[in-house]
Amino acid sequence: MRTDNEALVACLGDPQRAVAAYQELLRRGADALDAIRAGLADERAAVREGCCRLLDHLVDTDSMGRLITMADDPDAEVRIAAFHALACDRCKDDACAPGAGLVLAPALRHLADDPDPRVRARAAELVGKFVHTDARAAEALAAARAGDPSAAVRKKAGWYAPGGPIHRRTAPRTPGRPVAGTG
């Protein structure tokens, strides 16, 4: 059996081999990035999703544009993985975290009208990253909180919308002003 990076990426589409292939590609890290980026164009949605999930951990500035493109993939699972990777800062340093100019427009569009409520919920997380710096984000989250057909999306949007718990927790602090509830 082949174990080169391209073969491992192809295994992401095989339910019996996907977990081992994912773990090995993650272990290989930057050495596997070219194959992972190429996998974003695979005809199988499971491969594209796996590549998005890998890029959540291995993303670099060269991969960001491709990951943003995956937010418009025809498969909902791929869009979910792409939005998670774009919103999650845990594995990214400031150098490759996407700015509003790159990701806010697609996130706003999907929050407003993606047919899958799970995608809209992930888009809400990404829009929420910009709620303190862009009025469009605050307006979109308030609209989703008030009117999304999915209770789960309304709840998640409410967390990030002005007045919500995540909004309050992530609010920029004014020097010398105590954090709410501590003073």
Side-chain angles (χ1 to χ4, degrees), residues 3 27 30 38 61 110 157 180 182:
T3 59
R27 187 192 68 74
T61 52
H110 284 275
T182 63

Side-chain angles (χ1 to χ4, degrees), residues 9 12 22 44 55 72 84 89 98 104 108-109 139 162 173:
V9 167
L12 295 172
Y22 179 91
R44 295 167 293 166
L55 287 175
D72 289 323
H84 173 80
D89 289 334
L104 187 55
L108 290 168
R109 184 169 28 85
E139 291 166 9
R173 305 286 178 226

Side-chain angles (χ1 to χ4, degrees), residues 27-91:
R27 187 192 68 74
R28 291 182 184 187
D31 291 338
L33 274 174
D34 286 340
I36 293 167
R37 287 185 203 118
L40 293 172
D42 194 279
E43 65 185 24
R44 295 167 293 166
V47 173
R48 297 190 310 272
E49 177 195 3
C51 290
C52 286
R53 289 187 305 114
L54 283 160
L55 287 175
D56 178 33
H57 299 281
L58 303 173
V59 72
D60 61 352
T61 52
D62 293 338
S63 302
M64 193 56 62
R66 292 179 178 129
L67 194 54
I68 292 166
T69 300
M70 300 313 291
D72 289 323
D73 192 88
D75 186 84
E77 298 300 326
V78 175
R79 294 192 309 274
I80 290 166
F83 275 118
H84 173 80
L86 292 167
C88 181
D89 289 334
R90 185 177 46 217
C91 303

Side-chain angles (χ1 to χ4, degrees), residues 68 71-72 83 86-87 100 102-114 119-120 122-128 130 140:
I68 292 166
D72 289 323
F83 275 118
L86 292 167
L102 294 174
V103 298
L104 187 55
L108 290 168
R109 184 169 28 85
H110 284 275
L111 176 59
D113 62 18
D114 195 282
V119 175
R120 293 194 308 274
R122 290 292 183 176
E125 293 174 9
L126 185 53
V127 171
F130 306 105

